[in-house]
C-alpha cells in the first residue's frame, strides 16, 4: 500500500534512486516493486515482529551502513499508531540531511520535515492515501495512484502451465479462494468458506482453487472436505511471485483482509474481501471489489484477536453474500484501465 507513494517519489525527480529499508517479509514483496532500486533488510527493534530481540550491535551496524550509503533524504512511512521517532533518530545519527514523517510530537532536530499527525482525531484515511499525502507534502505526486507490482515472466510461465494442467482455461468461471490470515480476528469461519465455495461450484459451475502457505494446508483440507464439490488446492505449493501470477490470471479472488487481497488490487483482479472491522484503512485500493462484514458496536478494535470473542463482524456474513458478490464481480469483468486517482476514504 506504500507503492503509490514510492512511484510519486520516483516520478517527481528524474534519476532519483530509491532504497527500501524494510522487514524480511517486506523485502519479499520489494523484489516485485519496479520503483525500488535496492532493498535492505532490517529487523528493527521497534517492530512488533521483533519483540524480545536485543542486539544493539545490529542497530549500530545499520546506522553505519546508512551513513555509508550517502543518502540525500529519508522518508519514514508509518501507520498512524506507530511512532516515527526511533527511525528518525537512526537516520539523524546516520547523517541523512532530509528526514520526512508524520509525527504527533515535536521532533525538533530529528525531522527536517514534520507533518502533523491528524489521525485518528480528525479523520482516517486509506493507508495508500496516507502515504501519498505524506510525500505530496514535499511536492512528490504520481499520475497513476494504483498499487504497483511487477509479476516476473518466469512466474507467469509456470502458472500458465499450471492453469493448463488444472484445466482452468476452458472458458468456464473459476475463483481463487485464500482462507487464511495471520491474525485470527481477520479470519472468516472455515464453515463459511466451505459453504460459499461449495455453492459457487455446485450451483454456478465455478472451479475453485485454494491457496495458502504450508501452515494453512490443514485449513484448506478441512474447507475442501466440507464443500461437497470438487476443488483444487495449491496451498504450500506456490512462491510469492507464482501466487501473484495466479491471482493475476484469476477472474476473482475471495479472501480475508490479508496480503493476497492487496496483490489482487495491484494486478487488477476483482476482490471479494471478507473484511473484519479491526481497522478501516486497508480495503482493496483502486480495484473492483466487494467488502463484506457485519456492523458491530466494538468496531474498529485494532486487535489481532477478537476482544469480545464472538467474531460477529465476520461470523454474521452469510455465505450467500459471498456467492452473490463473486457472481457480480465476474459478471462485471475486469475494466481495461481503472481511474488513476482513487477517491479518498471518508472520515469515520
Amino acid at each position: 500500500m506504500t507503492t503509490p507513494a514510492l512511484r510519486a517519489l520516483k516520478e517527481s525527480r528524474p534519476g532519483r534512486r530509491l532504497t527500501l529499508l524494510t522487514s524480511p517479509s517486506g523485502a519479499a514483496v520489494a523484489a516485485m516493486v519496479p520503483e525500488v532500486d535496492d532493498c535492505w533488510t532490517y529487523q528493527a527493534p521497534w517492530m512488533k515482529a521483533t519483540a524480545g530481540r536485543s542486539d544493539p550491535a545490529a542497530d549500530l551496524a545499520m546506522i553505519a551502513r546508512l551513513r555509508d550509503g550517502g543518502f540525500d533524504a529519508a522518508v519514514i512511512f508509518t501507520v498512524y499508531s506507530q511512532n516515527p521517532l526511533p527511525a528518525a533518530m537512526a537516520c539523524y545519527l546516520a547523517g541523512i540531511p532530509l528526514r520526512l514523517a508524520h509525527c504527533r510530537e515535536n521532533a525538533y532536530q530529528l525531522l527536517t520535515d514534520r507533518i502533523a499527525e491528524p489521525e485518528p482525531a480528525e479523520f482516517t484515511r486509506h493507508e495508500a492515501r496516507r502515504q501519498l499525502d505524506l510525500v505530496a507534502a514535499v511536492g512528490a505526486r504520481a499520475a497513476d495512484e494504483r498499487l504497483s507490482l511487477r509479476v516476473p515472466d518466469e512466474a507467469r510461465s509456470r502458472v500458465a502451465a499450471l492453469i493448463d494442467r488444472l484445466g482452468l482455461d476452458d472458458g468456464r468461471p473459476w475463483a481463487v479462494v485464500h482462507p487464511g490470515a495471520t491474525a485470527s480476528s481477520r479470519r472468516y469461519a472455515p464453515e463459511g468458506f466451505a459453504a460459499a465455495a461449495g455453492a459457487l461450484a455446485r450451483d454456478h459451475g465455478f472451479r475453485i482453487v485454494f491457496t495458502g502457505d504450508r501452515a494453512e494446508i490443514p485449513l484448506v483440507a478441512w474447507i475442501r472436505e466440507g464443500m461437497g464439490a470438487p476443488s483444487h488446492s495449491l496451498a504450500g505449493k506456490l512462491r510469492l511471485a507464482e501466487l501473484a501470477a495466479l491471482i493475476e490470471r484469476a477472474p476473482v479472488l475471495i479472501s480475508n483482509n490479508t496480503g493476497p487481497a492487496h496483490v489482487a488490487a495491484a494486478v487488477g483482479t476483482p476482490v471479494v474481501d471478507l473484511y473484519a472491522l479491526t481497522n478501516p484503512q486497508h480495503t482493496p485500493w483502486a480495484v473492483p471489489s466487494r467488502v463484506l462484514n457485519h456492523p458491530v458496536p466494538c468496531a474498529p478494535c485494532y486487535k489481532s484477536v477478537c476482544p469480545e470473542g464472538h467474531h460477529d463482524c465476520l461470523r454474521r456474513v452469510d455465505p450467500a453474500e459471498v456467492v452473490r458478490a463473486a457472481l457480480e464481480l465476474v459478471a462485471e469483468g475486469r475494466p481495461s484501465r481503472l481511474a488513476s486517482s482513487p477517491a479518498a476514504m471518508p472520515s469515520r
Side-chain angles (χ1 to χ4, degrees):
M1 288 179 283
T2 306
T3 57
L6 297 179
R7 184 185 301 117
L9 289 169
K10 290 285 279 193
E11 291 181 354
S12 64
R13 182 74 175 267
R16 174 174 281 161
R17 288 182 55 82
L18 294 187
T19 296
L20 183 68
L21 182 64
T22 185
S23 65
S25 58
V29 180
M32 293 188 288
V33 177
E35 289 80 12
V36 173
D37 298 296
D38 196 9
C39 182
W40 296 2
T41 300
Y42 179 40
Q43 293 275 33
W46 52 84
M47 292 168 48
K48 182 169 67 173
T50 54
R53 164 196 174 282
S54 179
D55 186 8
D59 305 318
L60 293 172
M62 179 52 68
I63 292 171
R65 187 181 181 191
L66 287 169
R67 184 184 305 115
D68 293 342
F71 295 103
D72 298 305
V75 181
I76 300 165
F77 294 108
T78 61
V79 300
Y80 75 64
S81 61
Q82 291 174 319
N83 190 322
L85 294 183
M89 173 65 87
C91 294
Y92 168 78
L93 294 174
I96 299 176
L98 298 174
R99 301 171 300 278
L100 167 69
H102 282 113
C103 189
R104 287 188 175 83
E105 298 88 351
N106 189 333
Y108 297 99
Q109 285 76 39
L110 293 185
L111 292 173
T112 58
D113 294 87
R114 171 186 171 268
I115 308 305
E117 177 60 83
E119 297 182 74
E122 298 178 28
F123 53 79
T124 300
R125 294 168 284 189
H126 193 283
E127 201 64 47
R129 176 58 60 198
R130 171 182 171 81
Q131 312 307 357
L132 282 163
D133 288 349
L134 177 65
V135 299
V138 293
R141 291 177 174 81
D144 184 345
E145 295 186 342
R146 291 173 295 176
L147 305 189
S148 179
L149 195 73
R150 179 174 53 205
V151 181
D153 289 339
E154 56 270 25
R156 284 187 173 129
S157 296
R158 288 193 294 269
V159 165
L162 180 60
I163 286 173
D164 181 65
R165 190 161 63 249
L166 296 178
L168 298 175
D169 55 357
D170 62 358
R172 290 187 291 159
W174 59 285
V176 171
V177 178
H178 190 91
T182 52
S184 63
S185 61
R186 291 189 280 112
R187 297 180 201 140
Y188 188 50
E191 297 88 346
F193 274 115
L200 282 169
R202 289 189 313 272
D203 303 336
H204 302 282
F206 272 64
R207 273 77 50 73
I208 304 296
V209 181
F210 287 96
T211 57
D213 62 23
R214 285 187 171 274
E216 291 160 347
I217 291 175
L219 169 66
V220 168
W222 192 98
I223 294 171
R224 294 180 71 204
E225 182 68 24
M227 278 178 59
S231 64
H232 303 285
S233 175
L234 297 178
K237 298 178 181 179
L238 300 176
R239 289 174 286 185
L240 179 60
E242 293 165 342
L243 175 64
L246 178 71
I247 291 172
E248 183 182 48
R249 289 285 301 271
V252 66
L253 170 72
I254 302 171
S255 172
N256 295 309
N257 172 27
T258 189
H262 304 302
V263 170
V267 298
T269 296
V271 188
V272 178
D273 195 344
L274 288 142
Y275 194 89
L277 294 175
T278 54
N279 64 54
Q281 301 105 306
H282 300 160
T283 52
W285 177 257
V287 71
S289 63
R290 297 292 187 275
V291 177
L292 305 181
N293 47 54
H294 183 82
V296 288
C298 47
C301 69
Y302 295 96
K303 301 294 184 182
S304 296
V305 177
C306 176
E308 301 296 328
H310 51 53
H311 294 264
D312 276 0
C313 62
L314 285 182
R315 185 183 62 82
R316 297 180 68 177
V317 175
D318 192 317
E321 294 182 58
V322 181
V323 172
R324 183 164 54 251
L327 293 174
E328 288 173 356
L329 288 171
V330 171
E332 291 170 7
R334 301 168 67 136
S336 58
R337 183 169 178 84
L338 299 171
S340 61
S341 298
M345 197 181 73
S347 305
R348 65 174 174 85

